[in-house]
Amino acid sequence: PVWRSFPEKITDSTSLAISVSPQTNSIYKCIDYNTCDSVLTLKVIVHELPELFVKEHQTIMQGGAAQLIAVTKDDVVWSESEVLSCFTCHTPMANPDSTEIFYVTATNKYGCSLYDSVEIKVTPIPTIYAPTAFTPNNNGLNELYTIVCYGVTELNAYIYDRWGNEIIEWHQDDEVGPV
């Protein structure tokens, strides 16, 4: 057989089978000169991919939720996850315990698909451990006041004596010595 095409050119036009990936609508003809000039005509119609836009990546606190948004006129399917409220909704809710990437595929009426992803970053709940009292009297017990923070981006601290007078104030980047 001999293959002919329009508008795309076929590289191996004498093969029994061809594989093509046209960018536009194309017509392919297979001519078999051995059987009375039989002609097989194939018309390949190229449909557009669906349009798909997802809301940008988000950051939530541990235990929180984020709404995923897929903007398209076509059907969608989100990657299966136990933390999604719906797999075929355009706007499901997600409440992951740790950072996770969610994938969504949009499929149009012609079966053409396009996918995208969105990352939901989960940050720990800010926690501050601070003593309620200390005794800086040089007896070797409870001399230092140490604040331990997790997930805190800014810290301003004030220490008052038992009469409500401010003894010291410091901020996140300050170096504070013994009181």
Side-chain angles (χ1 to χ4, degrees), residues 9-34:
K9 299 294 182 219
I10 299 174
T11 55
D12 184 7
S13 64
T14 60
S15 176
L16 289 176
I18 62 169
S19 177
V20 294
S21 298
Q23 299 298 312
T24 61
N25 294 346
S26 299
I27 297 173
Y28 300 92
K29 290 185 179 185
C30 179
I31 304 167
D32 186 355
Y33 293 111
N34 294 326

CSV table of all heavy atoms in Angstrom, one decimal, residues 9-34:
chain,number,residue,atom,x,y,z
A,9,LYS,N,2.6,15.5,6.1
A,9,LYS,CA,3.4,14.6,5.3
A,9,LYS,C,3.7,13.3,6.1
A,9,LYS,O,3.9,13.4,7.3
A,9,LYS,CB,4.7,15.2,4.8
A,9,LYS,CG,4.6,16.4,4.0
A,9,LYS,CD,4.0,16.1,2.6
A,9,LYS,CE,3.9,17.3,1.7
A,9,LYS,NZ,2.7,17.4,1.0
A,10,ILE,N,3.6,12.1,5.5
A,10,ILE,CA,3.9,10.9,6.1
A,10,ILE,C,5.3,10.5,5.8
A,10,ILE,O,5.7,10.5,4.6
A,10,ILE,CB,2.9,9.8,5.7
A,10,ILE,CG1,1.5,10.2,6.1
A,10,ILE,CG2,3.3,8.4,6.3
A,10,ILE,CD1,0.4,9.3,5.5
A,11,THR,N,6.1,10.1,6.8
A,11,THR,CA,7.5,9.8,6.6
A,11,THR,C,7.7,8.5,6.0
A,11,THR,O,8.5,8.3,5.1
A,11,THR,CB,8.3,9.9,7.9
A,11,THR,OG1,7.7,9.0,8.9
A,11,THR,CG2,8.4,11.3,8.4
A,12,ASP,N,7.0,7.4,6.4
A,12,ASP,CA,7.1,6.1,5.8
A,12,ASP,C,5.8,5.8,5.1
A,12,ASP,O,4.9,5.1,5.7
A,12,ASP,CB,7.4,5.1,6.9
A,12,ASP,CG,7.7,3.7,6.3
A,12,ASP,OD1,7.7,3.5,5.1
A,12,ASP,OD2,7.8,2.7,7.1
A,13,SER,N,5.7,6.2,3.9
A,13,SER,CA,4.4,6.1,3.2
A,13,SER,C,4.1,4.7,2.6
A,13,SER,O,3.1,4.5,2.0
A,13,SER,CB,4.4,7.1,2.1
A,13,SER,OG,5.3,6.9,1.1
A,14,THR,N,5.1,3.7,2.7
A,14,THR,CA,4.8,2.4,2.2
A,14,THR,C,4.6,1.4,3.3
A,14,THR,O,4.5,0.2,3.0
A,14,THR,CB,6.0,2.0,1.3
A,14,THR,OG1,7.2,2.0,2.1
A,14,THR,CG2,6.2,2.9,0.1
A,15,SER,N,4.5,1.8,4.5
A,15,SER,CA,4.3,0.9,5.6
A,15,SER,C,2.8,0.4,5.6
A,15,SER,O,1.9,1.1,5.2
A,15,SER,CB,4.6,1.6,6.9
A,15,SER,OG,4.3,0.7,8.0
A,16,LEU,N,2.6,-0.8,6.2
A,16,LEU,CA,1.3,-1.3,6.3
A,16,LEU,C,0.4,-0.5,7.3
A,16,LEU,O,-0.8,-0.4,7.2
A,16,LEU,CB,1.3,-2.8,6.7
A,16,LEU,CG,1.7,-3.8,5.7
A,16,LEU,CD1,1.8,-5.2,6.2
A,16,LEU,CD2,0.8,-3.7,4.5
A,17,ALA,N,1.1,-0.1,8.4
A,17,ALA,CA,0.4,0.7,9.4
A,17,ALA,C,1.2,2.0,9.6
A,17,ALA,O,2.4,2.0,9.6
A,17,ALA,CB,0.3,-0.1,10.7
A,18,ILE,N,0.5,3.1,9.9
A,18,ILE,CA,1.2,4.3,10.2
A,18,ILE,C,0.6,4.9,11.5
A,18,ILE,O,-0.5,4.5,12.0
A,18,ILE,CB,0.9,5.4,9.1
A,18,ILE,CG1,-0.5,5.7,8.9
A,18,ILE,CG2,1.6,4.9,7.8
A,18,ILE,CD1,-0.8,6.9,8.0
A,19,SER,N,1.5,5.7,12.1
A,19,SER,CA,1.1,6.4,13.4
A,19,SER,C,1.2,7.9,13.1
A,19,SER,O,2.3,8.3,12.7
A,19,SER,CB,2.0,5.9,14.5
A,19,SER,OG,1.6,6.6,15.7
A,20,VAL,N,0.2,8.6,13.4
A,20,VAL,CA,0.2,10.0,13.1
A,20,VAL,C,-0.3,10.8,14.3
A,20,VAL,O,-1.0,10.3,15.1
A,20,VAL,CB,-0.7,10.4,11.8
A,20,VAL,CG1,-0.1,9.8,10.6
A,20,VAL,CG2,-2.1,10.0,12.0
A,21,SER,N,0.2,12.1,14.4
A,21,SER,CA,-0.3,13.0,15.4
A,21,SER,C,-0.5,14.4,14.8
A,21,SER,O,0.3,15.3,15.0
A,21,SER,CB,0.8,13.1,16.6
A,21,SER,OG,1.0,11.8,17.2
A,22,PRO,N,-1.5,14.5,14.1
A,22,PRO,CA,-1.8,15.8,13.4
A,22,PRO,C,-2.1,16.9,14.3
A,22,PRO,O,-2.7,16.7,15.4
A,22,PRO,CB,-2.9,15.5,12.4
A,22,PRO,CG,-3.7,14.4,13.1
A,22,PRO,CD,-2.6,13.5,13.8
A,23,GLN,N,-1.7,18.1,14.0
A,23,GLN,CA,-2.0,19.3,14.7
A,23,GLN,C,-3.3,19.9,14.3
A,23,GLN,O,-3.9,20.7,15.0
A,23,GLN,CB,-0.9,20.3,14.7
A,23,GLN,CG,0.4,19.8,15.2
A,23,GLN,CD,0.4,19.4,16.7
A,23,GLN,OE1,-0.1,20.2,17.5
A,23,GLN,NE2,0.8,18.2,17.0
A,24,THR,N,-3.7,19.6,13.0
A,24,THR,CA,-4.9,20.1,12.4
A,24,THR,C,-5.7,19.0,11.8
A,24,THR,O,-5.2,17.9,11.6
A,24,THR,CB,-4.6,21.2,11.4
A,24,THR,OG1,-3.9,20.6,10.3
A,24,THR,CG2,-3.9,22.4,12.0
A,25,ASN,N,-6.9,19.2,11.4
A,25,ASN,CA,-7.7,18.2,10.7
A,25,ASN,C,-6.9,17.8,9.4
A,25,ASN,O,-6.3,18.6,8.7
A,25,ASN,CB,-9.0,18.8,10.2
A,25,ASN,CG,-9.9,19.1,11.4
A,25,ASN,OD1,-9.7,18.7,12.5
A,25,ASN,ND2,-11.0,19.9,11.1
A,26,SER,N,-6.9,16.5,9.2
A,26,SER,CA,-6.1,15.9,8.1
A,26,SER,C,-6.9,14.8,7.4
A,26,SER,O,-7.7,14.1,8.0
A,26,SER,CB,-4.8,15.3,8.6
A,26,SER,OG,-4.0,16.4,9.2
A,27,ILE,N,-6.5,14.5,6.2
A,27,ILE,CA,-7.1,13.4,5.4
A,27,ILE,C,-5.9,12.5,5.0
A,27,ILE,O,-4.9,12.9,4.6
A,27,ILE,CB,-7.8,13.9,4.1
A,27,ILE,CG1,-9.0,14.8,4.5
A,27,ILE,CG2,-8.3,12.7,3.3
A,27,ILE,CD1,-9.6,15.5,3.4
A,28,TYR,N,-6.2,11.2,5.3
A,28,TYR,CA,-5.2,10.1,4.9
A,28,TYR,C,-5.8,9.2,3.9
A,28,TYR,O,-7.0,8.7,4.1
A,28,TYR,CB,-4.7,9.4,6.2
A,28,TYR,CG,-4.1,10.3,7.2
A,28,TYR,CD1,-4.9,10.9,8.2
A,28,TYR,CD2,-2.8,10.6,7.2
A,28,TYR,CE1,-4.3,11.8,9.1
A,28,TYR,CE2,-2.2,11.5,8.1
A,28,TYR,CZ,-3.0,12.1,9.0
A,28,TYR,OH,-2.4,12.9,9.9
A,29,LYS,N,-5.1,8.8,2.9
A,29,LYS,CA,-5.6,7.8,1.9
A,29,LYS,C,-4.6,6.7,1.8
A,29,LYS,O,-3.4,7.0,1.7
A,29,LYS,CB,-5.7,8.5,0.5
A,29,LYS,CG,-6.9,9.5,0.5
A,29,LYS,CD,-7.1,10.0,-0.9
A,29,LYS,CE,-8.2,10.9,-1.0
A,29,LYS,NZ,-8.6,11.4,-2.3
A,30,CYS,N,-5.1,5.5,1.8
A,30,CYS,CA,-4.3,4.3,1.6
A,30,CYS,C,-4.6,3.7,0.3
A,30,CYS,O,-5.8,3.4,0.1
A,30,CYS,CB,-4.5,3.3,2.7
A,30,CYS,SG,-3.5,1.8,2.5
A,31,ILE,N,-3.7,3.7,-0.6
A,31,ILE,CA,-4.0,3.1,-2.0
A,31,ILE,C,-3.3,1.8,-2.1
A,31,ILE,O,-2.1,1.7,-1.9
A,31,ILE,CB,-3.5,4.1,-3.0
A,31,ILE,CG1,-4.1,5.5,-2.8
A,31,ILE,CG2,-3.7,3.6,-4.4
A,31,ILE,CD1,-3.4,6.6,-3.6
A,32,ASP,N,-4.0,0.8,-2.4
A,32,ASP,CA,-3.5,-0.6,-2.6
A,32,ASP,C,-3.5,-0.9,-4.1
A,32,ASP,O,-4.6,-1.2,-4.6
A,32,ASP,CB,-4.3,-1.6,-1.8
A,32,ASP,CG,-3.6,-3.0,-1.8
A,32,ASP,OD1,-2.6,-3.2,-2.6
A,32,ASP,OD2,-4.1,-3.8,-1.1
A,33,TYR,N,-2.4,-0.8,-4.7
A,33,TYR,CA,-2.3,-1.1,-6.2
A,33,TYR,C,-2.4,-2.5,-6.5
A,33,TYR,O,-2.6,-2.9,-7.7
A,33,TYR,CB,-1.0,-0.5,-6.7
A,33,TYR,CG,-1.0,1.0,-6.7
A,33,TYR,CD1,-0.1,1.7,-5.8
A,33,TYR,CD2,-1.8,1.8,-7.4
A,33,TYR,CE1,-0.1,3.1,-5.7
A,33,TYR,CE2,-1.8,3.2,-7.4
A,33,TYR,CZ,-0.9,3.8,-6.5
A,33,TYR,OH,-0.9,5.2,-6.5
A,34,ASN,N,-2.3,-3.4,-5.5
A,34,ASN,CA,-2.4,-4.8,-5.8
A,34,ASN,C,-3.8,-5.4,-5.9
A,34,ASN,O,-4.0,-6.5,-6.4
A,34,ASN,CB,-1.6,-5.6,-4.7
A,34,ASN,CG,-0.2,-5.3,-4.7
A,34,ASN,OD1,0.4,-5.1,-5.8
A,34,ASN,ND2,0.5,-5.3,-3.5
